[in-house]
Amino acid sequence: MSQDSVRVEKEALETEREPNPVLALLRTSVGRNAGLVVALLLICLVGAITAGSRFTDWDNAMTILRLAAVVGVVSIGMTFVIIGGGIDLSVGAIVALSSVWCTTVATQELAQDIHWLWMVAVALLVGSACGLINGLLIAYGNIVPFIMTLAMLASARGLAEIISDKKTQIVSVEGFDDFFNRDILGIDVQVWLFALVSVAGWILLNRTTFGRRTVAVGGNPEAARLAGINVKRQTVYLYVLIGFCCGIAALMLVAKTTTGSSTHGSLLELDTIAAVVIGGTLLTGGRGTIVGTVLGVLIFSSITNIFILNNRSFSEQSLFKGAIIVAAVLLQQRLASRNSTT
Amino acid sequence: MTDTPLLQMTGIVKQFPGVRALDGVDLDVRAGEVHCLLGQNGAGKSTLIKVLSGFHQPDEGTITWDGQDAAFSTPAKAIEHGVATIYQELDLVPHLDVTENVFLGHEVSRAGFSQRSRAREMARALLARLGHAEIPVTRVVGDLSPANQQIVSMARALSHDTRLLVLDEPSAVLDQQEVANLFRVIRSLTAEGVAVVYISHRLEEIRQIGDRITVLKDGRTVATGLAVADTPTAELIRLMTGRSIEYVFPPRPETPRDQGEPVLEVRDLSLAGVFTGVDLTVHAGEIVGLAGLVGAGRSEILETLYGARRASTGTVAVDGKRLRRGSVTSSVQAGVGLAPEERKSQGLLLDEAVYRNITMSSMARFARFGFLDRGQERKRAEELTTSLDVRPTGVTRAVRTLSGGNQQKVVLARWLLRDCRVLLLDEPTRGVDVGARSEIYQLVRSLADRGVAVVVVSSEIEEVLGLADRVLVVREGEVVHESASTDIDEAKVLDLVMEERVPA
Ligand SMILES: Nc1ncnc2c1ncn2[C@@H]1O[C@H](COP(=O)(O)OP(=O)(O)OP(=O)(O)O)[C@@H](O)[C@H]1O
Ligand SMILES: [Mg+2]
């Protein structure tokens, strides 16, 4: 611990050696996002070369976007939480619990009687409630986010297993499937949902007091508190927000697979945190962009798609993704340490 | 004292994105002298010494050190050659202890094993030499007061073989007694032939300690090698600002304000171990000053009545309504604002734009249904930055790229923008240059004239007496004196502050 900080201190003192124009550009958020677009184009180029028209045709583009949609919706929520100085490891488990809860016999019977929207309401409520519990205990119980959401990860999935008796629950409510698997203007509803959540997220982060407060709370909590921002309440809101996103993701998964299951969303925390980090959001909080996250998600799903088209194994995929995450974080640290002069 | 310069910097240029911070600066420093560097906020003083210490690399210009060409490529190189720098923003590691900080980067070790007890001995000796033997060497630095952190920084500088000591606004966090102590240390160093570069906005300090002066303005040297003894203060101000400023406080209102309705009422406020039994009433339109030594508990009093610390006893009421204990939210709702002492850690979002930092506490005013009107935000921010003369202009630049004094103005602007009933200002002019100071005094007075109750904490007694209507003197966590500021003078306040017992 003390060794580390000594090193950090020395680094901070030795900044500003060669002013590299590329690094300077990458330090601005616009520049970073431009860099991500370039990376995405390069990956597409690799896809086009290795898989030819199987990669480039419209259906495959849709496949990539559909792949991106579920992870993407949760990643938007994760972007807020991380900018706000926190982390949420329980997203996969919350998705599983929401998917199970909204597909129980009781819920489905009620939904049959009232409207399929009842299922939607249940999923969103369960997701938000889990987020609320996370948020309250982190903000007012002073539990470190890492530990609290780790506990939630275990508990929520456990509860999902108990409720479902570890069986997959098939959806039989009319209207639900139809809605979530429809095309609008030739584009999957799920992809539309991802787009909608992204745009809403962008507006929320960049144009509202909520977004401004999120940045303040993550960037300098003490300053935010003294400036009269209710840091604890904002923290709670952030976890409710990501819980809500998990509810949406659960609905998308349920519709896609026509089942609710306690195994849904496994490793979702890994995919979302990775996408957010690659998108240039600082893990220390206070800085990040929605556009970056969307690009990070697209980069990941394109890579997955290319690996599948080339008949590569899931294990190889994981190995490669791990390497990308490390590379992204290394680059980020380099940029961050150069930024800490003055 | 010899006439061959120990350090000579010629034609130094340093360009930042969008700002030419240094545009051909000359500086020569002789062994054994105290060379003062003056200039307005953003003139380039800190940048110049960061170029000297190897923190920044100059774009143009030459540096000669001890007769040889030398541009230090890293801070480590500079330290090796005997240039020790104490930066404006302290660069200690808060969760390491005092000893570890003093020997950071050159740990005391034998055969790779650190010798902790010997290091502590040496740290103790250094602190004693600085007149602060009482600072515990095993204390975590983050728990020390800013003034004591400054001392630790000095100890670190002296732990090397130092030939040139650079001090960037060291007195900003110190009170008069501690400044005197600092000067004593500086004199003993110069007697040993060490050269000192001293930066401060307090001109009376320059008079006391300086030998020669270099004045910077907008990144250029406008005068160099001026002898302190033959240069009148008015001349210095003219050189720095290009105009002459009567360094005055705004006039007080004709009728005293302490008869009106009380806005802030503090009864028997205590914080265990820090201060006890503070009673304070501030009326609408009144400015009350808290004078005292650094560490007397003045900042803690402000923070506690703001709710940022939880009081152990006592009540705070605004307009007759009691505030919830230890709740900033409750204070803010009642219209209380605090401009904190530590701008970097307590005040600013360094990576965010200037205007966002300014509107941070008044966002609701610019929002409809949670959506912000950014045009309006920028407009109001621009008005304030113009009147406080924040430079460079442009409210969308990141606060990180502003000079120290300009960052301070940004924090202050935040609270001037917010409509407060009660405004608590902790060291409002720390690090702020002469010109902007009088502007800040005017603004604070005009807020009071609009009916705001103001409490000001300052280590500069002159400032407290000049600005406030009523003065409270705080010593070791107790209010030892209260009177109209016209009924007491600087010497009396000093006596009160220092003395063990107050003569009745
Ligand atoms: N890292 C940076 N990036 C961009 N601009 C910078 C940076 N550091 C300083 N500047 C700019 O360089 C100019 C000189 O700043 P500097 O900190 O040297 O001023 P100063 O004389 O020390 O002022 P003060 O009295 O307020 O401390 C300012 O205009 C400032 O905004
Ligand atoms: Mg400076």
Side-chain angles (χ1 to χ4, degrees), chain A residues 342, chain B residues 16 21 41-47 88 169 201 392 401-405:
Chain A
T342 28
Chain B
F16 288 118
N41 294 133
K45 304 179 296 294
S46 298
T47 308
Q88 187 169 12
E169 296 192 35
H201 289 292
T401 66
L402 297 182
S403 75

Side-chain angles (χ1 to χ4, degrees), chain A residues 2 5-6 9-10 12-13 15-16 203 207-209 212-213 215-216 220 223-228 339 342, chain B residues 14 50 55 75 91 95-96 104 306 308 328 332 344-346 348 352 361 363 370-372 374 377 400 415:
Chain A
S2 65
S5 47
V6 172
E9 172 75 3
K10 277 186 200 156
L13 284 175
T15 44
E16 274 256 344
I203 293 173
R207 291 287 182 268
T208 68
T209 51
R212 208 57 85 60
R213 287 198 194 111
V215 173
N220 189 344
R225 190 172 78 102
L226 289 176
N339 227 334
T342 28
Chain B
K14 177 72 193 173
K50 281 181 187 168
F55 193 93
D91 56 349
H95 54 261
L96 292 187
L104 194 64
Y306 187 54
V328 174
V332 170
K344 260 198 177 165
S345 62
Q346 300 184 311
L348 291 168
E352 290 291 301
S361 296
M363 267 189 277
F371 287 86
L372 288 157
R374 293 181 307 155
E377 272 185 278
R400 187 188 291 285
W415 295 105

Side-chain angles (χ1 to χ4, degrees), chain A residues 16 341-342, chain B residues 16-17 19-22 39-48 50 56 88 168-169 199 201 216 343 391-392 397 400-407 431-433:
Chain A
E16 274 256 344
T341 53
T342 28
Chain B
F16 288 118
V19 184
R20 206 170 174 84
L22 299 178
Q40 281 183 291
N41 294 133
K45 304 179 296 294
S46 298
T47 308
L48 182 66
K50 281 181 187 168
H56 288 321
Q88 187 169 12
D168 194 354
E169 296 192 35
I199 300 178
H201 289 292
L216 298 188
R343 59 175 168 263
R391 276 192 239 183
R397 58 169 47 242
R400 187 188 291 285
T401 66
L402 297 182
S403 75
N406 283 305
Q407 290 182 357
V432 171
D433 66 39

Side-chain angles (χ1 to χ4, degrees), chain A residues 225 228-231 233, chain B residues 306 324 326-334:
Chain A
R225 190 172 78 102
I229 292 172
N230 194 329
V231 175
R233 196 165 63 193
Chain B
Y306 187 54
R324 239 177 329 129
S327 161
V328 174
T329 319
S330 147
S331 314
V332 170
Q333 273 163 4

Side-chain angles (χ1 to χ4, degrees), chain A residues 81-125:
Chain A
V81 169
I82 292 180
I83 292 178
I87 189 103
D88 192 343
L89 303 179
S90 62
V91 286
I94 296 178
V95 165
L97 181 60
S98 304
S99 82
V100 166
W101 205 313
C102 79
T103 53
T104 56
V105 179
T107 314
Q108 292 211 42
E109 272 175 2
L110 251 173
Q112 202 72 272
D113 292 346
I114 313 168
H115 196 272
W116 57 266
L117 279 174
W118 176 244
M119 281 175 70
V120 173
V122 169
L124 296 180
L125 272 175

